[in-house]
Amino acid sequence: MKYKTLFSPIKIGNMELRNRLVVPAMGTNQCNQDGTISQGFIDYWSARAKGGWGLCTVEVTAVDPLGKASMAVPVLYNDKFIPGFKSLIDEVHKHGTKIGIQLHHGGRETLSVYIGGKQVVAPSPIPCPVCRETPRELSTEEVYQLIEKFGDAALRARKAGADCVELHGAHGYLVAAFMSAYSNKRIDEFGGSFENRMRFPVEIIKNIKRKAGNDFPILMRISADEMSTGGRTIDETRMVARTMEEAGVDCLHVSVGVYASNPYVVPPAAVSPGWILSHAEEVRKSVSIPVIGVSRISDPKMAEDAILTGKADLIAMGRQSIADPEYPNKVAADKENEIAPCIACCQGCIGQVLNPEKLRISCLVNPFATIEGKAKINPTKEPKNVIIVGAGPAGLEASWIAAKRGHNVTVFEKEKSDKFGGNFRVAAFPPAKQEITKALRYYKVMGEKYGVNYKFKTEATAEKILNEQPDVVIIATGARPIIPEIPGVNRPHVSTANEILLGKKQFGNKVLIIGGGMVGCETADFLGEYGTEITIVEMLPQIAQDVVFNVNYHLQKRLSDYGVKFAVNTKVKEILEDSVMAEKDGTDIELGPFDSIILAVGFTSINDLESQLKDKVEVHVIGDAKEPRKALEAIFEGSQVALKI
């Protein structure tokens, strides 16, 4: 086997895992509103158990009604919830995977709407900087009651058949809040000194041991560095680690951050893979129990290296396990090129889980995430001749799925084989977007595996398509940049963002970007590396409103470092030779001078073929050809149409 250490067994307490790969607890919001286990939740975890992971960790399971972190999280504060967990655990065990339940209380990092309208609670009445609801300070008596509730929940987990529990002592939630001087200002036995701040988790661990048994493994997730003013750093975390080992913890899972530093808790592609393994290594030096490392790791070579060099004993791959539940099996079978890669875009996972209209997570690269039981790639009973026009993300996704089902699939693409991908490929050019190329490569590999016929450098016409005698045509021709009707827009120093990113047009030293959405800001990010003076004009009151918050955090930091200027609530009315006339808050202003004007005002669909084909063959329009949106929606549409035909 290629990665012998990664796939070697390891013991946590008396629990033996078949390999070192862990699915950590991540909020997926798939349970029923009353906290019971849904079939979708079982399907989700079953898919990852089948995928060959050593340990799966069921997320943020509330031990108390006031501890729920969202609307659809699992709960275990009553015996009536045991049967649902047993159904889930039994399904996971069928596939040889161990499963743990993360015991959790949101503390101040939740909202009253999630806990029946009641006031949130915390060690001290200090609001979370993100949730911003003033909590009620828990009385000393209530703290002791919560200690009992954690132990009771652990016993229920064991009765349901769980192999272990994980105490969530990271990310600023209640246990972490008690442990940190950042959020704990108490002066009773649970505050003040280091020993007192550790009392809450230590007593919880003792309570779990007393109720669930000394032979029931306890893992604990901690933030090595809270990355907040006054928060814990690695120096104190080493003391925490030793204290928790002495209390009876069997394994430590090392993360970072609190809600206030969330862009590092769920880091986008701007944060390098493996960036906090050094923290795990420091913790590992301080204890004799196993340590789980995590930090945007998806390359098995990095995972193997981390274990071999003593940085960690196990590796947790959160979003990578969402992107591809079959990751361990594919690595073990030497099929790394078939792994659906996490590109750290954050659109479907953290971007969806915090969206009140979505809640349930998804994944840009894996549109089947959290709908595993409903969306399955089953063989077709009626193979068809399918023509797909366009090798952008929607077309590529549709092509390999349709081919896997048994259809004869041909893709027409006007670009060369090394230039496919449409606007999704262009999106990979700005800094911190490099992971996109991995996704495009994955789609092509999967298409080739299942026999997709790619016709590159082929401009599709209705005649060419009909000559192929198709049963189905899928139009995935994407979108082109909008050229706004502004006087002077055809001047020679005006170009689109795509032309700049692809090197088709040269830019000057002083640049104005018209449009402050994702494309405009990422183009500024691209130009900032060259020392360019940049101004972004945006009609709305804020820039980058279409960028996921944790991605936006790092993007804004870079734009600030580059000295990018912003003119919001501003509309460009005319482009002059070296300046522009604009209107801001009802007043005409002149901005300039500028050497280059770059247009980033959106896209318009390319769909010239539908009207020519719709009466002659079954036609589906997907992705930006249907309506310009993010790749998340385009790829989902590609998957869905491929399942229907």
Side-chain angles (χ1 to χ4, degrees):
M1 182 176 289
K2 192 174 180 180
Y3 303 103
K4 293 182 179 179
T5 306
L6 196 58
F7 285 92
S8 64
I10 188 172
K11 291 192 103 176
I12 296 176
N14 63 355
M15 172 182 66
E16 183 169 281
L17 307 181
R18 60 185 171 186
N19 59 48
R20 311 298 183 93
L21 293 166
V22 176
V23 180
M26 297 171 291
T28 62
N29 268 316
Q30 292 186 85
C31 290
N32 299 315
Q33 294 290 310
D34 62 357
T36 53
I37 304 299
S38 67
Q39 185 58 49
F41 199 53
I42 294 174
D43 294 338
Y44 173 85
W45 284 111
S46 176
R48 280 137 194 89
K50 290 177 186 176
W53 299 87
L55 175 65
C56 290
T57 316
V58 176
E59 70 269 21
V60 291
T61 302
V63 302
D64 180 79
L66 296 182
K68 291 180 65 176
S70 189
M71 295 295 291
V73 297
V75 304
L76 203 47
Y77 45 70
N78 189 292
D79 285 353
K80 69 180 182 180
F81 298 107
I82 294 175
F85 271 94
K86 187 175 188 309
S87 297
L88 166 62
I89 292 165
D90 287 348
E91 181 62 32
V92 168
H93 280 162
K94 287 179 184 178
H95 308 290
T97 296
K98 302 296 185 183
I99 182 168
I101 309 300
Q102 186 184 66
L103 305 181
H104 178 263
H105 192 298
R108 69 175 186 166
E109 290 185 341
T110 188
L111 301 172
S112 56
V113 67
Y114 299 154
I115 55 175
K118 295 183 179 179
Q119 187 176 8
V120 300
V121 296
S124 302
I126 304 170
C128 163
V130 174
C131 297
R132 308 187 78 171
E133 291 191 13
T134 302
R136 175 176 62 80
E137 182 177 297
L138 289 162
S139 68
T140 304
E141 181 182 359
E142 286 178 309
V143 177
Y144 280 109
Q145 290 171 354
L146 279 170
I147 291 168
E148 297 294 329
K149 290 181 179 181
F150 273 95
D152 293 341
L155 177 58
R156 293 184 187 107
R158 182 159 199 179
K159 287 181 177 179
D163 299 292
C164 61
V165 290
E166 179 179 83
L167 179 62
H168 200 330
H171 305 156
Y173 294 116
L174 187 68
V175 174
F178 267 96
M179 294 165 65
S180 177
Y182 167 68
S183 46
N184 183 348
K185 313 297 180 181
R186 301 173 73 94
I187 56 173
D188 64 357
E189 60 262 47
F190 292 101
S193 68
F194 174 82
E195 182 180 4
N196 283 355
R197 284 187 280 113
M198 296 304 113
R199 193 179 307 279
F200 186 52
V202 166
E203 290 302 319
I204 288 173
I205 293 161
K206 291 179 180 178
N207 199 275
I208 291 173
K209 293 282 186 184
R210 186 163 59 250
K211 290 175 178 174
N214 287 320
D215 61 338
F216 190 49
I218 302 174
L219 291 74
M220 186 174 182
R221 196 169 199 185
I222 58 173
S223 288
D225 190 326
E226 293 186 313
M227 307 188 75
S228 298
T229 303
R232 190 173 64 251
T233 64
I234 186 62
D235 293 315
E236 188 175 76
T237 295
R238 287 194 293 265
M239 298 162 56
V240 171
R242 285 192 291 271
T243 302
M244 295 307 124
E245 180 181 22
E246 291 166 2
V249 166
D250 298 289
C251 178
L252 288 165
H253 183 172
V254 182
S255 183
V256 294
V258 296
Y259 266 24
S261 49
N262 194 279
Y264 291 96
V265 177
V266 188
V271 179
S272 299
W275 74 285
I276 59 168
L277 281 174
S278 58
H279 289 328
E281 183 178 21
E282 286 297 305
V283 169
R284 193 172 182 271
K285 291 176 184 176
S286 303
V287 297
S288 59
I289 55 178
V291 170
I292 301 173
V294 61
S295 52
R296 206 170 76 72
I297 300 169
S298 59
D299 190 330
K301 299 177 186 65
M302 180 177 284
E304 177 92 345
D305 178 76
I307 297 171
L308 288 174
T309 55
K311 294 182 177 65
D313 301 285
L314 305 97
I315 301 296
M317 297 185 180
R319 286 172 292 163
Q320 180 56 63
S321 70
I322 299 173
D324 197 334
E326 289 283 329
Y327 179 94
N329 288 346
K330 290 179 180 178
V331 173
D334 199 20
K335 295 181 178 179
E336 292 175 48
N337 63 337
E338 295 181 20
I339 294 171
C342 169
I343 62 172
C345 66
C346 301
Q347 288 186 20
C349 49
I350 194 70
Q352 295 273 76
V353 79
L354 298 177
N355 184 339
E357 296 179 0
K358 300 287 185 181
L359 285 181
R360 176 189 64 81
I361 69 163
S362 181
C363 177
L364 183 150
V365 180
N366 175 21
F368 299 96
T370 69
I371 55 171
E372 289 87 355
K374 298 177 181 178
K376 296 183 178 181
I377 306 176
N378 295 319
T380 182
K381 296 179 181 178
E382 186 182 351
K384 295 180 178 179
N385 188 24
V386 179
I387 300 296
I388 298 176
V389 186
L396 289 168
E397 176 77 354
S399 66
W400 80 262
I401 294 175
K404 183 177 180 179
R405 292 187 60 219
H407 295 297
N408 177 46
V409 180
T410 300
V411 175
F412 283 42
E413 170 55 52
K414 65 181 180 180
E415 300 287 350
K416 296 188 295 183
S417 61
D418 62 341
K419 303 294 183 185
F420 70 93
N423 289 321
F424 201 42
R425 181 176 68 89
V426 183
F429 279 66
K433 299 294 291 292
Q434 66 282 349
E435 303 288 330
I436 288 174
T437 59
K438 294 180 181 179
L440 289 170
R441 182 65 188 164
Y442 159 74
Y443 295 132
K444 189 165 180 284
V445 165
M446 297 302 285
E448 290 171 346
K449 176 180 179 178
Y450 294 111
V452 174
N453 177 27
Y454 295 102
K455 290 193 174 184
F456 292 109
K457 296 178 68 175
T458 303
E459 186 85 37
T461 64
E463 182 181 4
K464 285 181 182 178
I465 292 169
L466 293 173
N467 283 341
E468 299 283 337
Q469 298 182 319
D471 300 302
V472 178
V473 176
I474 299 174
I475 298 173
T477 41
R480 63 172 65 92
I482 291 173
I483 307 299
E485 294 182 1
I486 301 173
V489 76
N490 294 318
R491 288 181 179 272
H493 67 305
V494 179
S495 57
T496 66
N498 277 19
E499 289 173 325
I500 293 295
L501 293 171
L502 292 173
K504 294 181 178 180
K505 288 279 190 77
Q506 185 61 42
F507 53 88
N509 293 320
K510 295 183 178 181
V511 174
L512 176 71
I513 299 175
I514 302 176
M518 178 169 63
V519 173
C521 289
E522 289 183 350
T523 303
D525 193 15
F526 176 83
L527 297 176
E529 291 195 321
Y530 299 93
T532 313
E533 290 184 34
I534 305 164
T535 301
I536 296 177
V537 171
E538 171 56 52
M539 294 173 61
L540 298 174
Q542 290 182 322
I543 66 162
Q545 293 191 42
D546 54 346
V547 180
V548 179
F549 76 97
N550 52 343
V551 178
N552 197 11
Y553 172 86
H554 296 279
L555 173 61
Q556 296 288 356
K557 281 185 65 176
R558 295 193 300 276
L559 296 183
S560 176
D561 290 342
Y562 296 141
V564 176
K565 300 174 184 177
F566 306 104
V568 296
N569 294 315
T570 302
K571 180 180 180 180
V572 174
K573 297 174 68 176
E574 184 177 3
I575 298 172
L576 305 175
E577 186 174 344
D578 64 354
S579 64
V580 300
M581 296 303 300
E583 180 183 321
K584 180 177 176 63
D585 300 326
T587 302
D588 289 339
I589 59 173
E590 184 174 1
L591 299 172
F594 301 110
D595 304 316
S596 302
I597 308 294
I598 300 173
L599 305 174
V601 295
F603 292 83
T604 183
S605 296
I606 302 171
N607 183 9
D608 304 322
L609 292 169
E610 183 183 15
S611 60
Q612 301 175 52
L613 296 170
K614 64 181 180 179
D615 295 327
K616 300 171 184 176
V617 67
E618 180 183 335
V619 177
H620 301 272
V621 183
I622 61 173
D624 282 358
K626 181 178 180 180
E627 180 186 355
R629 287 151 297 157
K630 293 182 178 179
L632 177 73
E633 291 86 3
I635 292 166
F636 182 79
E637 283 181 359
S639 71
Q640 294 303 296
V641 74
L643 295 180
K644 292 176 182 177
I645 59 175

